[in-house]
Amino acid sequence: MTTVLAHVHPGDTVYGQVGDASVPLRFGDLPDEYQVLRDRAALLDLSGHRLIEISGPAAVDFAQRLLARDVEYLTSERCMMSLVLDDSGQVVDQVLAFGRENGLLLESSVGAGDRLIEHLRANNDEGVEITDRSGDLTVLGLEGPYAWGVVGRLIDGELASLPFEAVADTVWNDVEIIFARTGFTGEYGYQMIVPIESAADLWQASLEHVTAAGQEALELAMLEVRQPIPRLETAGGANVIEIGANWLVDVTKDEFVGKEAVLAAFESGQGRRTVGFSGGDTVPEPGARVLAGGEDVGEVVLAVRSVGLGATLGLARVDAELAAAGLEFTVEGAGVTTLTSPYIVPKSWSIPII
């Protein structure tokens, strides 16, 4: 699946394959795009996120059973992030669920659309309609401490002050769009679901007020606030508890696919836990061993060079009793220190919407 905006992106855009989607990793230099996102506002091509419509009389019952969070009373003015699990409790995807008058609209994580649709259809006991809307709708995002100002100049200032996870059906340039206050990076975040035939026009109009940032800058900023990136964190069969995404699961629900496995993992207290770390001059590969006092206590899940920290930043999965901040470990001969999240404090936390 190639981005529908490829024809308006710069010729030197660097693309990469993420799951089933080809996405812009960088439009220019990563440090510049990161700084734009953290200091001002960035425009995001989120067309690698698949949009799937769930409709029919049993749509809400189906979604309530398939999503790990409670969406029974999700209205058309709200959206909610949730995990989707299989029977063994493994993460299928992390979705953004939009309440709609005739059911729900699910937005997959980047490159996970095929897997999500296959899972939904395989578990369609209620006989709902499952429609891939990615042929006619796509997603653009805005993130940054001053993204609210861009919304005001681009569409309507009142939309900028929507509560978190609020949704509004609005109009831009005579085109109906779904507008939502969301966010992946801890900064002010917004999404615009727009018909594909108008996406390029909205993208170009947005660029008059803001600079584009690619997937690499987005995922670095996500890591810095410990926003889960399931495709990078679930290798080796790690469960919801081990990756630290239990906040995206509501175990008080009567039923959802994977609930028994999640409860069993929680009650057992076994397995490893994920913790952030920083330090060292190199970026270790996933699977690199984590040592404490010369003893193997875990492995690196992912690591990158953090522009904001000016150092290596990563996640490690370690013995549960060692998943705490301020501990000293060794990775590939270099000393690292475990961290408490967020690893970078977003500027949006101290900047009001005016």
Side-chain angles (χ1 to χ4, degrees):
M1 179 173 142
T2 303
T3 171
V4 299
L5 295 168
H7 65 291
V8 294
H9 291 334
D12 58 353
T13 298
V14 177
Y15 293 92
Q17 193 69 28
V18 178
D20 56 44
S22 175
V23 301
L25 301 178
R26 298 185 305 279
F27 298 101
D29 293 329
L30 172 59
D32 292 342
E33 294 180 12
Y34 170 86
Q35 292 300 156
V36 162
L37 193 158
R38 282 287 183 220
D39 293 341
R40 298 188 295 280
L43 178 63
L44 306 171
D45 177 352
L46 302 179
S47 59
H49 295 212
R50 195 76 64 87
L51 293 167
I52 304 162
E53 186 176 71
I54 310 298
S55 59
V60 174
D61 291 339
F62 172 78
Q64 182 73 344
R65 185 171 61 84
L66 269 290
L67 272 63
R69 291 187 69 192
D70 195 333
V71 294
E72 184 174 5
Y73 301 107
L74 189 65
T75 68
S76 58
E77 290 82 33
R78 302 293 299 175
C79 63
M80 175 188 294
M81 191 169 287
S82 174
L83 291 180
V84 177
L85 309 175
D86 65 16
D87 288 323
S88 66
Q90 297 296 300
V91 176
V92 174
D93 196 15
Q94 176 178 317
V95 302
L96 191 59
F98 294 81
R100 297 280 85 195
E101 293 294 342
N102 61 341
L104 290 91
L105 185 67
L106 303 184
E107 177 186 328
S108 78
S109 64
V110 60
D114 286 348
R115 182 181 181 189
L116 177 60
I117 290 175
E118 180 181 353
H119 176 77
L120 295 175
R121 288 175 174 163
N123 288 274
N124 188 10
D125 299 341
E126 290 82 356
V128 302
E129 294 182 37
I130 300 172
T131 307
D132 185 353
R133 296 295 306 278
S134 300
D136 56 289
L137 296 174
T138 194
V139 190
L140 277 61
L142 293 167
E143 298 252 348
Y146 295 101
W148 50 269
V150 178
V151 172
R153 294 189 295 274
L154 184 66
I155 308 176
D156 185 339
E158 292 187 4
L159 293 174
S161 56
L162 284 174
F164 183 62
E165 294 188 333
V167 179
D169 291 278
T170 189
V171 174
W172 172 82
N173 200 27
D174 295 327
V175 176
E176 294 183 355
I177 66 172
I178 300 172
F179 185 90
R181 169 93 181 269
T182 56
F184 296 105
T185 67
E187 306 292 357
Y188 292 120
Y190 306 91
Q191 285 194 15
M192 300 168 285
I193 299 177
V194 58
I196 281 181
E197 60 269 21
S198 301
D201 290 341
L202 180 54
W203 179 267
Q204 299 283 41
S206 300
L207 287 176
E208 296 177 10
H209 308 283
V210 69
T211 302
Q215 190 70 23
E216 288 183 350
L218 173 60
E219 291 191 352
L220 171 56
M222 290 171 65
L223 172 60
E224 291 174 340
V225 295
R226 196 58 188 95
Q227 174 72 28
I229 308 175
R231 76 174 197 282
L232 300 179
E233 298 185 39
T234 56
N239 62 42
V240 170
I241 308 301
E242 288 173 321
I243 69 175
N246 32 311
W247 62 278
L248 290 169
V249 171
D250 185 355
V251 295
T252 64
K253 283 177 61 174
D254 290 338
E255 176 192 10
F256 63 86
V257 174
K259 178 179 179 179
E260 292 183 4
V262 172
L263 286 176
F266 180 78
E267 293 168 357
S268 75
Q270 298 179 354
R272 289 178 161 173
R273 302 292 184 267
T274 302
V275 65
F277 71 86
S278 182
D281 296 324
T282 61
V283 178
E285 292 292 327
R289 306 317 301 172
V290 177
L291 307 179
E295 181 181 351
D296 190 319
V297 296
E299 64 182 12
V300 171
V301 177
L302 66 93
V304 296
R305 186 71 180 176
S306 168
V307 177
L309 293 177
T312 295
L313 174 66
L315 299 176
R317 192 156 296 129
V318 299
D319 295 343
E321 63 272 16
L322 297 176
L327 301 182
E328 302 291 332
F329 294 145
T330 301
V331 177
E332 295 184 340
V336 302
T337 303
T338 57
L339 308 171
T340 186
S341 62
Y343 315 130
I344 292 284
V345 177
K347 290 187 177 181
S348 296
W349 293 10
S350 59
I351 295 176
I353 295 175
I354 58 175

